[in-house]
Structures are given as C-alpha cells and as structure tokens.
Amino acid sequence: MEHKLYIYNTLSRKKEQFIPLHENTVGMYVCGPTVYGDAHLGHARPAITFDILFRYLQHLGYKVRYVRNITDVGHLENDADSGEDKIAKKARLERLEPMEVVQYYVNRYHKAMEALNVMPPSIEPHASGHIMEQIEFTQKILDAGFAYESEGSVYFDVVKYNETNNYGILSGRNIDEMLETTRDLDGQSEKRRSVDFALWKKASPEHIMRWKAPWSDGFPGWHMECSAMGTKYLGEEFDIHGGGMDLMFPHHECEIAQNKAGLGKDTVKYWMHNNMITIGGQKMGKSLGNFIQLHEFFEGTHKLLSKAFSPMTIRFFILQAHYRSTVDFSSEALEASEKGLERLMDGYARLQKLTPSATSTVNTVGLRAKCEEALNDDLNTPITISYLFEALKAINLVHDGKATISAADLSELQSVFKLMVEDLLGLKVETAATGTNDAYKKAIDMLLAMRLEAKRNKDWATSDKIRNELTAFGFEIKDTKDGFEWKM
Ligand code: ZN
C-alpha cells in the first residue's frame, strides 16, 4: 500500500513508519471505559483520537478490525488489587444488579460517543463475557512459571519475569526503584512482593461478581481482560494498541508482561497513547470536583462552564491539539473553538454554493497533499485544520466576488473539504436546519424568498416582519449579493 503514515510508538519512543503485520488488514485494540459512571472529558479524548486513526487507516485502504473493550469487572478502586470493585460498589449503593449498572452506563456511553460522531468499533467485548479466556490465559502464565497461587488468588511474579524480560519497558519505570520506594509487605499479604499484581482474585463472601476457577470462586485482575480479549480477537500478534497515557502504568505495562509470559512473544507492534486533558492546569479528579461529564457540556450544567457546548465543539476542541500534547480545558478555550468551528463550517457551506469561472485567481492546488502529509505525520490534526483555514480565505474571496475559481479547482476543493472535514476529522453540521430536516430548511428558504420579494416591491412592513420574527426564533439572517444566507 502506497502511503507514508508515521506514528509515534510509545514503546520505541520514536516515530515509525506504519507497516502492518498483514498486508491489507490492521488489528487495533483500544482500552475502553470502565462503566460505573457517565463518560467525561477524559473519555472523549482517546475515543476521538483513535476514531481519527480508525477513519484514516480505512481511507488509506486498509480493512481495520477495531476492538474497544468494556471493563465491567475486576477494576478495583485503587486500580491494583485491593478495594471494592468499582461496578459492584455502584450496584451496592444504587441497590441494582451489577449488570444493570453496566447496561445503563454502556447505553449512555454509546449515546455520548454517537453525539461526538465517534464511529463504533468493529467489536466491543465485555470483560465479564470473557471469564473463561481470562482463566485460560492465567493458567498459561502459571504453566510458564511466571505466576504463583496464594490463598486462592493468583499473582504475577514480577521479579521472576524481570530476570529474563524487561518489566518497565513501556513506562520506563525501574523495578529496583519500585521495590525500594514501595513499603515492605507486612507478612499479612498474600503477595510475595509489593510489585506483584493479581491475575485472579479470590472473592470475599460479600463479593457478588464471582466465577468458578481452578483456584477459587473469584474474579479476574483488571489487566487480564485486555490480554485475553486483545489476543482472542486480533491474534497473538497484532498491529496497534492504544489508550490514554494514564494507562501506561500499571495497566499496559502489566499487559505486555502477561502476554510475553503467557504466549512467549511480544503481542503489540505499535503502542500509542494520547495525552491527558487538564482543567485550569490541574489534573482531572473526582476529589477536585472538576470531572466534567460529557452530558454536562452538552447541557451547560457544570459550574465551570459559561454555557452549553455542542458535541462537535468538544470534538473540534480536542482535534485542535495534537493527540500527544496536553490540552488545558477552560470555558474560554471552548468558546474560541466554537467560533473557529463555526467559521470552518460556514466556509464549508459556502464552498458548496460557489459558482465556477473560466480561470482561478486563487491558488488552492496542493491542499489535499498538504492535509494528507499532516495526517501522515503522526495524525497531526491541528496542522490539517490550519491548512483548511488557509483555504477558507480563498473560499471567502470567491464568495465575495473578489476572486474567481475554475470548475476543476472548485470541484477538487469541494472534494478535499468533504474528505477532511466530514470523513476524516468527522465534523458534521449540527444545526437542525441542515441535513437532517429538509422540509424545515425548505420552509425557511421559502419565507426568506417571500421576504426578498417583499423587499423588491418595497413592502418594508412585510420584509421587516419576516426578518424580525425569524430573528426572535433564533435565526441569523444575512443579506448577500445574490439573496440571503441563514442559520440557526
Ligand atoms: Zn486495557
């Protein structure tokens, strides 16, 4: 396949040309949400980042199998091997079945993702639906001698593994430092060392999410699900594994160790991580009260928000930064994104209505190549967007009658905008007036045509009445040289 896509591999810490393991197909796994609460801004970033990659790989001609999991068991409160299961806790507090909690938040997650125009993955496996696979994987690691059983639980032997492998290869952590800085176990723990992590946990009597395994009635450790489901659906070696940078350690480091220990090989060719979103320079966190849920953006109901922001504004805001840079959220920054998106979408709408001339006095040639070059450079969406903004200047000049564009140039420009704006960046027109509701659009057009007619007849009363009343309903009406433009 002819392309020069380079992606930053977190494992090698450099940009590498993307060459898939199998000629025309790509296997891609991304860690999805733990479904015990509503999706927030932190969930939007990996979903949108890997949505761009999913779309771009397909544009390059690959058949992509995109697996994004749902964590619905085994994610304990402190992300390691102690504390209550996050979903079981929510179920206990709400007096629901754990699977009711899971279903409720999965439905809401899907709704938020659809609003953000994130394409659904090819497979969305649940951890709770793959307990057998996780037990089998754990057994493989035990058989290979890299895990031990203790009091009905199974732990990964990190020190043993590190004798012949590199635990820390992804995150750059040093095991000796970790052993020094973590406090000694008091002898009460089932684990041999503090760095060891659970592959299987024996369930306490009150723990409701439990399954039968050779070692105990219990449940899998959090990291195990991604080893089991990734290799089940994508094979023992696959191309891309993604997720947020916060998952690099321990989650992905442990997954690498599990796969190498259980299968005797490295599973993933390219590891990709999106950076985090901060709020006013601070990390997002429940305790800081700055966890803004996506529906709070759409409804404008969080105290840190000046108003409601549409899903496309959130998407555009995220795409205006490169996925490996941090993004600092503020209401002002979102307002700026909203204005930028409006300019882009207005220009895109204008582009559809331009009339070609015999020759071009604007230069838009090469836009496609420049945008593709930016995406090939580790999915540089902010640069892609800046090229589109440059092209907007030409569109506006032609629209205002100050420049001309030939039919061939116009058709190419329209095609590039469609590809970049809609297909790859995944931005869609949001007003109810366009696209979805054609009859409504025609009705407004008809009213404004009547107003134009009234103006021509110098019937100012009728003309003003139509304009004022539509403005009162929230329409913005602009007179142009050929007639009018309007939006909601
Ligand atoms: Zn995972």
Side-chain angles (χ1 to χ4, degrees):
M1 213 153 286
E2 286 286 319
H3 69 76
K4 285 258 163 57
L5 170 62
Y6 280 76
I7 49 180
Y8 184 86
N9 190 344
T10 324
L11 196 63
S12 65
R13 292 167 180 77
K14 57 174 193 271
K15 279 184 205 170
E16 292 176 14
Q17 186 171 6
F18 178 69
I19 301 164
L21 293 161
H22 310 284
E23 208 178 337
N24 295 317
T25 59
V26 174
M28 169 167 143
Y29 187 95
V30 173
C31 293
T34 303
V35 283
Y36 68 102
D38 267 323
H40 54 71
L41 196 55
H43 288 108
R45 199 168 190 199
I48 290 170
T49 298
F50 294 102
D51 184 52
I52 300 290
L53 183 58
F54 186 33
R55 286 164 183 264
Y56 195 55
L57 288 169
Q58 291 180 87
H59 165 67
L60 292 177
Y62 293 112
K63 190 171 181 301
V64 185
R65 183 179 294 165
Y66 175 18
V67 180
R68 189 184 66 205
N69 68 305
I70 295 284
T71 298
D72 58 357
V73 64
H75 195 164
L76 304 184
E77 278 180 304
N78 70 358
D79 288 1
D81 349 280
S82 62
E84 200 171 349
D85 182 289
K86 289 183 174 189
I87 285 143
K89 182 179 179 181
K90 185 84 181 176
R92 177 171 62 74
L93 295 173
E94 307 267 323
R95 294 167 180 260
L96 295 168
E97 271 294 315
M99 285 303 138
E100 280 182 287
V101 171
V102 168
Q103 191 67 57
Y104 179 78
Y105 288 114
V106 165
N107 291 347
R108 288 177 68 87
Y109 179 75
H110 285 161
K111 220 174 128 197
M113 290 305 118
E114 201 185 323
L116 291 170
N117 207 19
V118 168
M119 290 170 73
S122 329
I123 307 177
E124 195 172 45
H126 286 227
S128 68
H130 297 77
I131 302 295
M132 281 310 301
E133 288 84 348
Q134 297 184 70
I135 292 172
E136 280 167 20
F137 210 110
T138 301
Q139 189 61 54
K140 279 186 192 158
I141 299 173
L142 272 168
D143 293 345
F146 291 109
Y148 55 89
E149 191 188 335
S150 172
E151 312 277 338
S153 293
V154 180
Y155 292 97
F156 191 89
D157 190 339
V158 172
V159 170
K160 171 86 187 297
Y161 171 79
N162 196 57
E163 284 166 9
T164 46
N165 296 278
N166 180 3
Y167 184 77
I169 192 169
L170 180 70
S171 60
R173 297 205 185 197
N174 179 294
I175 186 171
D176 296 319
E177 280 168 24
M178 282 189 275
L179 284 167
E180 270 170 37
T181 51
T182 48
R183 78 195 147 77
D184 278 342
L185 298 172
D186 48 16
Q188 301 293 315
S189 174
E190 307 162 355
K191 291 202 281 189
R192 288 184 193 157
R193 292 184 191 83
S194 54
V195 289
D196 295 347
F197 57 89
L199 303 177
W200 184 261
K201 286 283 281 181
K202 180 182 174 178
S204 56
E206 66 276 12
H207 196 102
I208 35 180
M209 298 171 84
R210 56 203 298 149
W211 291 266
K212 278 200 191 317
W215 319 287
S216 63
D217 274 13
F219 56 94
W222 172 36
H223 317 304
M224 183 45 75
E225 64 179 271
C226 294
S227 284
M229 298 190 291
T231 55
K232 173 175 170 120
Y233 294 112
L234 299 172
E236 291 189 358
E237 285 169 282
F238 60 87
D239 300 293
I240 300 167
H241 194 313
M245 244 172 69
D246 54 336
L247 294 178
M248 269 170 71
F249 191 89
H251 188 55
H252 292 159
E253 195 72 65
C254 293
E255 187 180 332
I256 289 174
Q258 287 169 166
N259 291 5
K260 189 78 191 288
L263 307 172
K265 59 178 102 166
D266 290 313
T267 296
V268 176
K269 191 169 179 192
Y270 304 93
W271 280 91
M272 292 176 75
H273 292 91
N274 63 276
N275 213 319
M276 300 288 102
I277 297 182
T278 55
I279 295 189
Q282 275 190 312
K283 250 186 97 170
M284 278 190 290
K286 268 221 167 106
S287 54
L288 298 165
N290 61 4
F291 247 125
I292 312 178
Q293 293 170 342
L294 291 171
H295 72 90
E296 293 174 316
F297 281 102
F298 307 160
E299 292 149 16
T301 49
H302 194 279
K303 64 177 182 343
L304 289 172
L305 299 172
S306 57
K307 59 193 267 303
F309 292 99
S310 75
M312 280 307 106
T313 302
I314 304 292
R315 186 173 176 108
F316 189 63
F317 169 71
I318 287 172
L319 293 177
Q320 278 180 301
H322 186 255
Y323 75 92
R324 285 193 292 115
S325 353
T326 52
V327 171
D328 192 48
F329 157 83
S330 67
S331 236
E332 297 76 56
L334 267 189
E335 279 171 40
S337 286
E338 187 178 48
K339 288 206 181 78
L341 178 63
E342 198 182 323
R343 272 176 54 215
L344 180 64
M345 296 316 268
D346 283 355
Y348 183 35
R350 264 178 200 165
L351 177 60
Q352 313 308 319
K353 294 183 200 148
L354 295 186
T355 326
S357 305
T359 55
S360 295
T361 59
V362 285
N363 184 9
T364 53
V365 178
L367 179 66
R368 183 188 298 269
K370 283 199 292 184
C371 289
E372 285 187 343
E373 199 182 309
L375 290 173
N376 279 336
D377 183 14
D378 196 26
L379 306 175
N380 203 327
T381 54
I383 299 289
T384 308
I385 291 168
S386 74
Y387 289 140
L388 295 174
F389 272 96
E390 254 172 46
L392 281 187
K393 288 179 199 154
I395 293 171
N396 288 335
L397 282 174
V398 176
H399 173 263
D400 295 344
K402 291 173 185 154
T404 59
I405 189 162
S406 71
D409 286 353
L410 178 59
S411 138
E412 166 68 2
L413 193 58
Q414 286 169 338
S415 155
V416 176
F417 261 72
K418 158 89 172 59
L419 173 67
M420 291 297 153
V421 175
E422 287 190 46
D423 302 347
L424 297 178
L425 297 176
L427 298 167
K428 58 178 186 190
V429 179
E430 281 182 304
T431 56
T434 29
T436 49
N437 198 337
D438 211 35
Y440 162 70
K441 191 177 171 217
K442 281 182 185 152
I444 306 295
D445 279 343
M446 186 185 76
L447 271 171
L448 288 171
M450 284 167 73
R451 173 171 167 265
L452 207 62
E453 184 68 28
K455 269 172 77 179
R456 284 197 191 113
N457 297 333
K458 301 198 161 42
D459 177 2
W460 307 119
T462 306
S463 150
D464 286 350
K465 185 174 159 57
I466 294 173
R467 183 190 185 101
N468 294 345
E469 297 205 357
L470 282 176
T471 306
F473 293 146
F475 291 96
E476 225 177 275
I477 296 148
K478 210 164 111 188
D479 293 312
T480 64
K481 67 178 167 66
D482 318 315
F484 52 83
E485 274 180 4
W486 64 272
K487 63 184 175 189
M488 193 50 190

